[in-house]
Amino acid sequence: MNLVIDERSTIIDIVNAIGIYADRRDFEKLEKLFADEVYVDYTSLNGGTPARVKNTELIEAWKKILPGFAATQHLITNHQVTLRYTSAECLSSVCATHYLPDPAGKDTWTIMGFYEHQLSKSTFTGWKVDSLKLTVTMSLGNPELLKKAQEKSFER
């Protein structure tokens, strides 16, 4: 098989796996996709500033949100991969729907936009994500579900 195609497929699989494992709440597998430290930028979603965090901190933050939703679905597609010798960038489109039953019937929140994943390759560990940036271009539905999901996760 063509090495470039194989590397590109591996990178796309890793980016897609982040959405799949998040939706399945498989935090152990999620953590293995990331480098020990990860630059995370969710400023377009919730303000703040980008930060470099340990992969365990990133996963712990997701554990405080995702289980509070009844369901989520992260569709990540249209991958544009740029390969370098031991680094790569993957720009993707994302549509993430979050569901949590709400008495007022406002039980979904969907965000759309782009992910920028930076990956590094090690001889020992293979490709790992070391940077993650979300750029939100559209938000539909009830964004208050995020806060409600955090509260529900905290109750557990």
Side-chain angles (χ1 to χ4, degrees), residues 6-150:
D6 188 43
E7 295 284 13
R8 185 178 182 282
S9 294
T10 299
I11 290 162
I12 291 170
D13 285 349
I14 290 168
V15 170
N16 287 341
I18 292 171
I20 292 167
Y21 294 153
D23 292 338
R24 294 177 61 118
R25 314 300 187 253
D26 193 335
F27 298 110
E28 187 176 318
K29 286 182 182 175
L30 262 173
E31 187 177 324
K32 292 176 183 177
L33 300 174
F34 291 95
D36 291 340
E37 288 194 354
V38 185
Y39 176 83
V40 180
D41 184 348
Y42 282 115
T43 56
S44 72
L45 178 64
N46 51 19
T49 57
R52 181 163 293 283
V53 299
K54 293 191 179 300
N55 65 2
T56 53
E57 293 175 60
L58 174 62
I59 302 307
E60 285 302 315
W62 289 353
K63 284 181 181 179
K64 293 177 183 175
I65 299 169
L66 290 172
F69 289 105
T72 58
Q73 185 176 50
H74 292 77
L75 302 176
I76 306 169
T77 187
N78 298 338
H79 305 283
Q80 297 297 310
V81 177
T82 303
L83 283 168
R84 294 173 197 86
Y85 182 65
T86 59
S87 66
E89 177 179 303
C90 184
L91 175 64
S92 310
S93 298
V94 62
C95 178
T97 300
H98 307 76
Y99 172 74
L100 183 60
D102 179 73
K106 298 179 180 180
D107 49 14
T108 59
W109 174 49
T110 301
I111 56 172
M112 291 171 256
F114 302 97
Y115 269 130
E116 294 174 55
H117 292 88
Q118 303 286 330
L119 300 92
S120 296
K121 186 178 184 183
S122 160
T123 305
F124 301 106
T125 60
W127 289 104
K128 299 285 183 175
V129 174
D130 56 20
S131 177
L132 167 66
K133 179 179 180 180
L134 172 65
T135 302
V136 176
T137 58
M138 188 182 319
S139 176
L140 304 170
N142 184 0
E144 292 300 313
L145 292 182
L146 180 61
K147 182 179 175 184
K148 291 179 182 182
Q150 287 174 314

